[in-house]
Amino acid sequence: MIRNTLTNTKNATFAVIVPHPDPRLQGFPHPKATGFFVSSEGYFVTARHVLEKSESDKTIHNETEISLANPEKTASHIDGISIVRDWPDCDLVLLKANWEKNKSKVAFQGKTGFDFLEVDFNVIAEGTPVYAFGYPLPEFRILGNEKLTLGFHFFCPRVTSAILSSHYDYIRPMRRTGGFPKFYIIDKALNYGNSGGPIIVQETGKVVSVCVRFQPVIIRQDRETAITVPSLYGITSSLKN
């Protein structure tokens, strides 16, 4: 089932590139996470925290500092990005890539627009098979000397099958959230770098939500110490937001 739509998913899904936060790395662009096109005109969705400058600085990078790359396509680096709108409460952001500035690149020859994923705004039932695609656990290395410095990107594309486990991140005591689901919880904890990537219904190939985080579990070691580890579950923000 996944194989029927995976090619289009790969074509529409890109790694998000932003300046590295470590000042010693001179602001070199590095792959931080994942995102995907939702229209041929260039509208692009990712998680907002992907574009934040640091955990303490919640402002997002300047448009000129953001680019996209699809490592499975030759010469697919995309610039000319603009920020359309962001939704901090939902951890979502909408970008737009300028087709005119990118259409002459080798990866887009013969095309009239960007490959994209169709959004399904229906409420998807719990238990529905879905899958994720993205670029988790990217690596970034710098080599060089005083005269020349080079940065290298290493990508790990991954497909992950799952089911929709719940419509709720959590249910507050005495109050159940009504209306459309703000979250689709999946029964797989995705890795760093999957953030911003699509969650796709296996049967239709349509995207319903965006990976935003995993659900941590605190395991107490003794009376004074504890460790935090990912649980089985991934938290994804519904595009109905």
mmCIF file of all heavy atoms in Angstrom, residues 59-84:
data_model
loop_
_atom_site.group_PDB
_atom_site.id
_atom_site.type_symbol
_atom_site.label_atom_id
_atom_site.label_comp_id
_atom_site.label_asym_id
_atom_site.label_seq_id
_atom_site.Cartn_x
_atom_site.Cartn_y
_atom_site.Cartn_z
ATOM 1 N N THR A 59 12.076 33.243 18.223
ATOM 2 C CA THR A 59 11.927 33.917 16.933
ATOM 3 C C THR A 59 12.461 33.000 15.835
ATOM 4 O O THR A 59 13.335 32.160 16.075
ATOM 5 C CB THR A 59 12.676 35.252 16.910
ATOM 6 O OG1 THR A 59 14.080 35.014 17.143
ATOM 7 C CG2 THR A 59 12.141 36.197 17.979
ATOM 8 N N ILE A 60 11.934 33.165 14.634
ATOM 9 C CA ILE A 60 12.325 32.266 13.545
ATOM 10 C C ILE A 60 13.321 32.948 12.623
ATOM 11 O O ILE A 60 13.441 34.174 12.597
ATOM 12 C CB ILE A 60 11.096 31.761 12.766
ATOM 13 C CG1 ILE A 60 10.274 32.912 12.203
ATOM 14 C CG2 ILE A 60 10.230 30.888 13.668
ATOM 15 C CD1 ILE A 60 9.052 32.457 11.453
ATOM 16 N N HIS A 61 14.028 32.154 11.885
ATOM 17 C CA HIS A 61 15.078 32.657 11.001
ATOM 18 C C HIS A 61 14.507 33.581 9.926
ATOM 19 O O HIS A 61 13.338 33.462 9.519
ATOM 20 C CB HIS A 61 15.797 31.490 10.322
ATOM 21 C CG HIS A 61 16.736 30.746 11.218
ATOM 22 N ND1 HIS A 61 17.963 31.239 11.588
ATOM 23 C CD2 HIS A 61 16.616 29.538 11.834
ATOM 24 C CE1 HIS A 61 18.567 30.375 12.373
ATOM 25 N NE2 HIS A 61 17.768 29.330 12.547
ATOM 26 N N ASN A 62 15.361 34.472 9.466
ATOM 27 C CA ASN A 62 15.019 35.328 8.344
ATOM 28 C C ASN A 62 14.789 34.484 7.094
ATOM 29 O O ASN A 62 15.414 33.429 6.919
ATOM 30 C CB ASN A 62 16.159 36.329 8.111
ATOM 31 C CG ASN A 62 15.833 37.335 7.038
ATOM 32 O OD1 ASN A 62 15.892 37.032 5.853
ATOM 33 N ND2 ASN A 62 15.494 38.533 7.451
ATOM 34 N N GLU A 63 13.900 34.955 6.228
ATOM 35 C CA GLU A 63 13.570 34.193 5.009
ATOM 36 C C GLU A 63 14.801 33.851 4.178
ATOM 37 O O GLU A 63 14.875 32.781 3.575
ATOM 38 C CB GLU A 63 12.582 34.995 4.163
ATOM 39 C CG GLU A 63 11.227 35.195 4.836
ATOM 40 C CD GLU A 63 10.333 36.135 4.059
ATOM 41 O OE1 GLU A 63 10.878 36.954 3.288
ATOM 42 O OE2 GLU A 63 9.102 36.059 4.208
ATOM 43 N N THR A 64 15.764 34.754 4.135
ATOM 44 C CA THR A 64 16.953 34.529 3.305
ATOM 45 C C THR A 64 17.853 33.437 3.868
ATOM 46 O O THR A 64 18.745 32.956 3.173
ATOM 47 C CB THR A 64 17.756 35.825 3.169
ATOM 48 O OG1 THR A 64 18.156 36.274 4.478
ATOM 49 C CG2 THR A 64 16.922 36.916 2.510
ATOM 50 N N GLU A 65 17.618 33.033 5.129
ATOM 51 C CA GLU A 65 18.437 32.004 5.758
ATOM 52 C C GLU A 65 17.848 30.609 5.589
ATOM 53 O O GLU A 65 18.451 29.626 6.007
ATOM 54 C CB GLU A 65 18.582 32.303 7.257
ATOM 55 C CG GLU A 65 19.272 33.625 7.559
ATOM 56 C CD GLU A 65 19.304 33.930 9.044
ATOM 57 O OE1 GLU A 65 18.287 33.660 9.735
ATOM 58 O OE2 GLU A 65 20.336 34.437 9.518
ATOM 59 N N ILE A 66 16.676 30.511 4.971
ATOM 60 C CA ILE A 66 15.969 29.237 4.854
ATOM 61 C C ILE A 66 16.083 28.707 3.427
ATOM 62 O O ILE A 66 15.868 29.441 2.465
ATOM 63 C CB ILE A 66 14.483 29.404 5.217
ATOM 64 C CG1 ILE A 66 14.331 29.986 6.630
ATOM 65 C CG2 ILE A 66 13.751 28.076 5.112
ATOM 66 C CD1 ILE A 66 12.913 30.444 6.934
ATOM 67 N N SER A 67 16.413 27.448 3.293
ATOM 68 C CA SER A 67 16.400 26.805 1.983
ATOM 69 C C SER A 67 15.925 25.365 2.155
ATOM 70 O O SER A 67 15.791 24.861 3.272
ATOM 71 C CB SER A 67 17.777 26.843 1.311
ATOM 72 O OG SER A 67 18.730 26.155 2.092
ATOM 73 N N LEU A 68 15.665 24.708 1.030
ATOM 74 C CA LEU A 68 15.140 23.339 1.027
ATOM 75 C C LEU A 68 16.014 22.474 0.140
ATOM 76 O O LEU A 68 16.570 22.950 -0.851
ATOM 77 C CB LEU A 68 13.698 23.321 0.512
ATOM 78 C CG LEU A 68 12.721 24.327 1.120
ATOM 79 C CD1 LEU A 68 11.387 24.273 0.394
ATOM 80 C CD2 LEU A 68 12.540 24.070 2.605
ATOM 81 N N ALA A 69 16.113 21.207 0.486
ATOM 82 C CA ALA A 69 16.906 20.288 -0.329
ATOM 83 C C ALA A 69 16.273 18.912 -0.312
ATOM 84 O O ALA A 69 15.804 18.447 0.723
ATOM 85 C CB ALA A 69 18.342 20.208 0.183
ATOM 86 N N ASN A 70 16.253 18.283 -1.472
ATOM 87 C CA ASN A 70 15.802 16.903 -1.579
ATOM 88 C C ASN A 70 17.015 16.074 -1.992
ATOM 89 O O ASN A 70 17.406 16.074 -3.156
ATOM 90 C CB ASN A 70 14.682 16.774 -2.605
ATOM 91 C CG ASN A 70 14.057 15.392 -2.609
ATOM 92 O OD1 ASN A 70 14.754 14.402 -2.449
ATOM 93 N ND2 ASN A 70 12.740 15.336 -2.786
ATOM 94 N N PRO A 71 17.641 15.378 -1.051
ATOM 95 C CA PRO A 71 18.886 14.665 -1.366
ATOM 96 C C PRO A 71 18.722 13.538 -2.364
ATOM 97 O O PRO A 71 19.708 13.032 -2.889
ATOM 98 C CB PRO A 71 19.341 14.134 0.007
ATOM 99 C CG PRO A 71 18.117 14.126 0.840
ATOM 100 C CD PRO A 71 17.264 15.243 0.361
ATOM 101 N N GLU A 72 17.477 13.120 -2.641
ATOM 102 C CA GLU A 72 17.264 12.061 -3.619
ATOM 103 C C GLU A 72 17.119 12.609 -5.032
ATOM 104 O O GLU A 72 16.988 11.843 -5.983
ATOM 105 C CB GLU A 72 16.034 11.245 -3.227
ATOM 106 C CG GLU A 72 16.193 10.556 -1.877
ATOM 107 C CD GLU A 72 15.168 9.469 -1.661
ATOM 108 O OE1 GLU A 72 14.698 8.890 -2.650
ATOM 109 O OE2 GLU A 72 14.846 9.196 -0.500
ATOM 110 N N LYS A 73 17.135 13.948 -5.154
ATOM 111 C CA LYS A 73 17.049 14.575 -6.468
ATOM 112 C C LYS A 73 18.332 15.354 -6.743
ATOM 113 O O LYS A 73 18.817 16.088 -5.883
ATOM 114 C CB LYS A 73 15.866 15.549 -6.535
ATOM 115 C CG LYS A 73 14.509 14.891 -6.613
ATOM 116 C CD LYS A 73 13.435 15.968 -6.618
ATOM 117 C CE LYS A 73 12.077 15.390 -6.929
ATOM 118 N NZ LYS A 73 11.959 14.995 -8.334
ATOM 119 N N THR A 74 18.873 15.234 -7.919
ATOM 120 C CA THR A 74 20.070 15.970 -8.293
ATOM 121 C C THR A 74 19.730 17.447 -8.471
ATOM 122 O O THR A 74 18.751 17.803 -9.109
ATOM 123 C CB THR A 74 20.659 15.418 -9.608
ATOM 124 O OG1 THR A 74 20.906 14.021 -9.442
ATOM 125 C CG2 THR A 74 21.943 16.139 -9.962
ATOM 126 N N ALA A 75 20.563 18.313 -7.909
ATOM 127 C CA ALA A 75 20.409 19.758 -8.067
ATOM 128 C C ALA A 75 19.005 20.229 -7.706
ATOM 129 O O ALA A 75 18.365 20.963 -8.448
ATOM 130 C CB ALA A 75 20.754 20.166 -9.508
ATOM 131 N N SER A 76 18.534 19.793 -6.535
ATOM 132 C CA SER A 76 17.169 20.138 -6.130
ATOM 133 C C SER A 76 17.132 21.195 -5.033
ATOM 134 O O SER A 76 16.112 21.385 -4.392
ATOM 135 C CB SER A 76 16.439 18.882 -5.637
ATOM 136 O OG SER A 76 17.074 18.371 -4.478
ATOM 137 N N HIS A 77 18.252 21.864 -4.798
ATOM 138 C CA HIS A 77 18.304 22.887 -3.759
ATOM 139 C C HIS A 77 17.364 24.036 -4.127
ATOM 140 O O HIS A 77 17.418 24.574 -5.226
ATOM 141 C CB HIS A 77 19.732 23.407 -3.619
ATOM 142 C CG HIS A 77 19.919 24.323 -2.450
ATOM 143 N ND1 HIS A 77 20.241 23.863 -1.195
ATOM 144 C CD2 HIS A 77 19.818 25.671 -2.345
ATOM 145 C CE1 HIS A 77 20.345 24.887 -0.374
ATOM 146 N NE2 HIS A 77 20.086 25.995 -1.041
ATOM 147 N N ILE A 78 16.480 24.405 -3.194
ATOM 148 C CA ILE A 78 15.468 25.428 -3.453
ATOM 149 C C ILE A 78 15.702 26.633 -2.551
ATOM 150 O O ILE A 78 15.819 26.494 -1.329
ATOM 151 C CB ILE A 78 14.047 24.877 -3.206
ATOM 152 C CG1 ILE A 78 13.736 23.763 -4.208
ATOM 153 C CG2 ILE A 78 13.004 25.983 -3.299
ATOM 154 C CD1 ILE A 78 12.399 23.097 -3.971
ATOM 155 N N ASP A 79 15.783 27.805 -3.162
ATOM 156 C CA ASP A 79 15.840 29.048 -2.396
ATOM 157 C C ASP A 79 14.693 29.940 -2.845
ATOM 158 O O ASP A 79 13.756 29.472 -3.492
ATOM 159 C CB ASP A 79 17.202 29.727 -2.566
ATOM 160 C CG ASP A 79 17.643 29.777 -4.020
ATOM 161 O OD1 ASP A 79 16.764 29.699 -4.906
ATOM 162 O OD2 ASP A 79 18.844 29.888 -4.267
ATOM 163 N N GLY A 80 14.754 31.220 -2.521
ATOM 164 C CA GLY A 80 13.622 32.091 -2.835
ATOM 165 C C GLY A 80 12.428 31.782 -1.955
ATOM 166 O O GLY A 80 11.285 31.763 -2.413
ATOM 167 N N ILE A 81 12.681 31.548 -0.652
ATOM 168 C CA ILE A 81 11.642 31.166 0.294
ATOM 169 C C ILE A 81 11.062 32.402 0.969
ATOM 170 O O ILE A 81 11.802 33.302 1.375
ATOM 171 C CB ILE A 81 12.201 30.217 1.375
ATOM 172 C CG1 ILE A 81 12.852 28.978 0.729
ATOM 173 C CG2 ILE A 81 11.115 29.810 2.359
ATOM 174 C CD1 ILE A 81 11.892 28.088 0.002
ATOM 175 N N SER A 82 9.758 32.445 1.117
ATOM 176 C CA SER A 82 9.102 33.499 1.903
ATOM 177 C C SER A 82 8.252 32.846 2.992
ATOM 178 O O SER A 82 7.773 31.731 2.831
ATOM 179 C CB SER A 82 8.239 34.397 1.024
ATOM 180 O OG SER A 82 7.244 33.649 0.345
ATOM 181 N N ILE A 83 8.108 33.554 4.110
ATOM 182 C CA ILE A 83 7.286 33.084 5.220
ATOM 183 C C ILE A 83 5.897 33.677 5.067
ATOM 184 O O ILE A 83 5.724 34.895 5.096
ATOM 185 C CB ILE A 83 7.903 33.475 6.577
ATOM 186 C CG1 ILE A 83 9.293 32.854 6.729
ATOM 187 C CG2 ILE A 83 6.989 33.039 7.724
ATOM 188 C CD1 ILE A 83 10.063 33.355 7.933
ATOM 189 N N VAL A 84 4.894 32.827 4.918
ATOM 190 C CA VAL A 84 3.519 33.282 4.714
ATOM 191 C C VAL A 84 2.828 33.523 6.045
ATOM 192 O O VAL A 84 2.249 34.589 6.286
ATOM 193 C CB VAL A 84 2.726 32.264 3.868
ATOM 194 C CG1 VAL A 84 1.281 32.722 3.675
ATOM 195 C CG2 VAL A 84 3.405 32.056 2.515
#
